[in-house]
Amino acid sequence: MTNEIKNWINRDGITFLSNKGIRKGFNVVDFGSGNGHYTLPAAKIVSTEGRVYAIEKDKNTLRKLMQTAEKEGLSNIIIPISPEQEKSLQFDLDDEIMDYALIYDVLHYFSEIERKEIYREIHRILKIGGILSVYPKHNKNDWPLWNLSNMDLEDIIKEITEMKFKFKGKESVELFHDEGYDTGFILEFRKEKNQKLT
Ligand SMILES: C[S@@+](CC[C@H](N)C(=O)[O-])C[C@H]1O[C@@H](n2cnc3c(N)ncnc32)[C@H](O)[C@@H]1O
């Protein structure tokens, strides 16, 4: 692990996610967790009273994440999807159990239909008042790639608010992308009362 990654996981990532509203005792879901650059600092914040659920389709990546978690003494990271379900976008998680959801640097993998399925699932598992935080890297104005290359931030905000999330704001921040520090926009949404999706 590089010094930059260590500094992010142990210091700056904790500050970043705390500033974004993750708190001790929260249940957090990290969709497309990768090797845990957000999962690990989130697990440190929520501590033993909370849980971080890492949803990641790549088994090797998950193995690396769990190895790092073990080295860091973290036992509150849960892998909710069993191997036979790994291609599904239906999460193996109960309704309304999460305080916070992260969708960071992963939306570009999915078609519009798939993204809507993901928002629907996140909406289902979030508690009322729960937060959805999105880092839409690879949109039209930030190294465009794959399914997000023709969408700007306003398009993404519109798409997510159409799925009954309330838009709370966007912020340009220093964050971690792949193996190093970067700047990018974070979008924040909330699941409001009486906005169940049909
Ligand atoms: C670019 S990485 C971002 C990792 C992490 N969120 C971060 O920001 O550091 C995107 C991750 O999403 C994962 N992914 C892609 N499709 C997925 C799916 N259907 N279910 C779960 N994870 C998926 C990829 O395997 C990859 O590890």
Side-chain angles (χ1 to χ4, degrees):
M1 193 189 285
T2 65
N3 280 339
E4 274 208 328
I5 296 177
K6 278 187 197 153
N7 286 342
W8 174 259
I9 289 172
N10 292 306
R11 189 188 65 203
D12 301 327
I14 294 176
T15 305
F16 171 87
L17 292 173
S18 298
N19 288 342
K20 292 269 127 232
I22 294 186
R23 296 281 175 267
K24 189 173 182 173
F26 270 20
N27 284 333
V28 176
V29 61
D30 186 7
F31 176 70
S33 63
N35 44 21
H37 293 157
Y38 292 89
T39 319
L40 294 157
K44 292 185 181 215
I45 299 171
V46 303
S47 86
T48 51
E49 292 143 59
R51 298 278 178 276
V52 183
Y53 297 80
I55 301 180
E56 168 55 54
K57 70 166 186 182
D58 186 86
K59 285 195 200 91
N60 285 331
T61 305
L62 268 182
R63 199 171 308 124
K64 277 187 210 149
L65 164 59
M66 293 316 276
Q67 278 167 359
T68 315
E70 200 180 332
K71 277 189 203 138
E72 296 285 325
L74 294 165
S75 55
N76 59 352
I77 297 174
I78 313 279
I79 310 296
I81 297 189
S82 59
E84 61 276 15
Q85 289 175 298
E86 69 188 0
K87 287 196 173 65
S88 168
L89 290 170
Q90 308 288 309
F91 307 157
D92 187 18
L93 291 165
D94 291 339
D95 295 355
E96 302 197 344
I97 57 166
M98 298 294 165
D99 299 284
Y100 207 102
L102 296 164
I103 304 182
Y104 275 25
D105 187 20
V106 64
L107 279 182
H108 56 288
Y109 283 73
F110 302 102
S111 68
E112 182 181 353
I113 290 172
E114 291 167 329
R115 292 195 301 273
K116 285 189 171 166
E117 200 174 336
I118 293 163
Y119 306 140
R120 198 173 290 113
E121 278 294 89
I122 295 282
H123 194 275
R124 178 181 68 74
I125 64 175
L126 271 178
K127 297 175 185 173
I128 289 166
I131 298 292
L132 165 60
S133 180
V134 181
Y135 170 34
K137 182 74 182 175
H138 304 300
N139 71 73
K140 180 173 168 174
N141 299 311
D142 186 6
W143 197 357
L145 194 64
W146 305 340
N147 290 286
L148 286 193
S149 55
N150 290 320
M151 296 181 77
D152 63 18
L153 291 180
E154 293 310 313
D155 297 325
I156 296 163
I157 292 166
K158 182 167 179 284
E159 180 177 89
I160 299 178
T161 51
E162 280 171 3
M163 300 302 289
K164 308 289 184 221
F165 284 95
K166 174 99 175 164
F167 177 56
K168 300 303 292 175
K170 73 175 178 200
E171 193 185 9
S172 172
V173 280
E174 185 180 57
L175 40 64
F176 213 76
H177 173 245
D178 287 345
E179 302 299 311
Y181 285 81
D182 198 354
T183 49
F185 275 97
I186 297 294
L187 308 178
E188 187 175 304
F189 302 85
R190 190 159 64 204
K191 175 176 172 175
E192 302 273 278
K193 213 174 171 182
N194 298 330
Q195 286 195 312
K196 281 218 175 225
L197 281 177
T198 49

